[in-house]
Amino acid sequence: MLTRHTHQALYAAFDRFPSAKGAAVHIARMAHTLFNMVGGGLLYVLGDETLPAYQEEPGPIEIVRSSSTAPNLLQRTVAYGRYLAALRDQQAATLRLCHFRDPWSGIPLLADPERSYQTIYEVNGLPSLELPATYPALGPRTLAKIQRLETHCLTHADAIVTPSTTTRDRLVQMGVAPENITVIPNGADILPTPPRPIHAPPRYLIYFGALQPWQGVDVLLRAFALLADYTDLWLVMCISNPPRSARDYRKLADKLGISDRMLWLFELPQDELAPWRAHALLSVAPLTESVRNVEQGCCPLKILESMAAGVPVIASDLPAVRELVRDGVDGLLVRPDRPAALARAVRVLLDYPHHIPEMGAQARERIASQFTWQHSTAKLAALYQRMLESGTTHIGARPDPPADDSTH
């Protein structure tokens, strides 16, 4: 027996859950919305030695975790997919909606052409564009195979969900029918300001998130080195990866002579991260001008969560970022990959400090009016409802109305 209950909904993601990464926040919100529609569901994710392979929550909600110890990524995806296929077969008689975040989840769920459930492919990123940055040794044949898996999922899923119009446009260029895509941005909660962390420096910038190459952390460190004359200014790095992942960046910080004004924090749970974020002077999102960020697009949670906390963001001027931040209103946008430009933007706000609370208030209001999780999950719930009402006939998501597209 793979699970103890039968379910009408399944959410599958090749991501560790829970974790300190933004992906885990997104998974929690989306899966909760899905399971609320039908009274419970099955969540299939990655685990590790610290997480149980099986977990039952009220709903009923069952969490099943794949913890393959295979030596490379593709072998782990195969093991993950085989177990998902077994879960699919066990639940096939009752499933009505299956939501997946990646091709490793999509291929098993789309394998049966006679399936009675409908499928939603949530495209936050395309592995064929993201994996080469993390695994440079991937060969052309392997990447071509991954692209074929992506194409299969994009053309066979009943609906596509994506967090930005930049990503939607990329998918349309790849041949996905626009009427099959629903843009649902990420969100953030408007919460009371928590108490200041006990060990927080008096004045600090914050970066929080992972350390993938496209995040531009090296650009941030070089920019901070150009702010040495602000002797009381610190840089707090809240990293969602384990400490070993920051080894090269910490060496760069030492080389730049900024380590004595930096604080590194790792894998903070959301309730511990929130105070650091809320009491920062500024939040920095130095995304690089890469294919992943420019052509594929993104919807960075770090930007939305900072704005929701009333903290202005200094971010790279990229298409997906412009969907969120109004330059000079909610924060400042700078040319990507330019440490001097990033440092100059920080100086502008530090030298005119009255702009900081004004921008923070504008940012918080923008989130409250357009980008809360309530906005996002309501739109997702509406899509689920349309699909449930359609019965077993596979349909595509209705296109977003023009007015909606213009605001997201």
Side-chain angles (χ1 to χ4, degrees), residues 119-124 126 153-155 157-185 296 323 379-380 383 386-387 395-402 404-405:
T119 54
I120 303 96
Y121 183 9
E122 179 191 327
V123 184
N124 294 285
L126 296 167
C153 293
L154 290 168
T155 55
D158 299 305
I160 308 293
V161 168
T162 196
S164 72
T165 57
T166 303
T167 308
R168 180 196 60 187
D169 293 345
R170 171 73 181 198
L171 298 180
V172 171
Q173 291 174 5
M174 294 172 64
V176 180
E179 64 272 14
N180 204 40
I181 305 172
T182 300
V183 177
I184 302 179
Q296 173 187 277
E323 296 180 42
K379 197 170 186 180
L380 181 63
L383 171 61
R386 292 197 298 269
M387 300 183 79
I395 63 169
R398 299 176 187 174
D400 291 335
D404 229 14
D405 288 346

Side-chain angles (χ1 to χ4, degrees), residues 366-378:
R366 181 161 171 78
I367 298 299
S369 63
Q370 295 187 44
F371 292 104
T372 65
W373 276 120
Q374 186 175 0
H375 286 97
S376 299
T377 56

Side-chain angles (χ1 to χ4, degrees), residues 306-312 329-331 355-366:
S306 298
M307 293 171 67
V311 177
V329 179
D330 315 302
H355 288 312
I356 294 177
E358 293 172 0
M359 283 187 170
Q362 291 279 3
R364 193 175 175 95
E365 174 56 31
R366 181 161 171 78

Side-chain angles (χ1 to χ4, degrees), residues 11 26-37 61 377 384:
Y11 189 108
H26 194 98
I27 290 168
R29 297 288 183 164
M30 298 293 161
H32 181 74
T33 303
L34 174 62
F35 299 158
N36 272 353
M37 295 295 296
I61 294 170
T377 56
Y384 289 151

Side-chain angles (χ1 to χ4, degrees), residues 90-123:
Q90 184 200 36
Q91 301 287 331
T94 56
L95 281 175
R96 299 174 68 192
L97 290 175
C98 289
H99 183 139
F100 60 92
R101 277 178 58 97
D102 45 75
W104 330 122
S105 305
I107 293 300
L109 294 175
L110 296 169
D112 181 6
E114 302 301 321
R115 64 187 183 276
S116 59
Y117 54 83
Q118 296 191 78
T119 54
I120 303 96
Y121 183 9
E122 179 191 327
V123 184

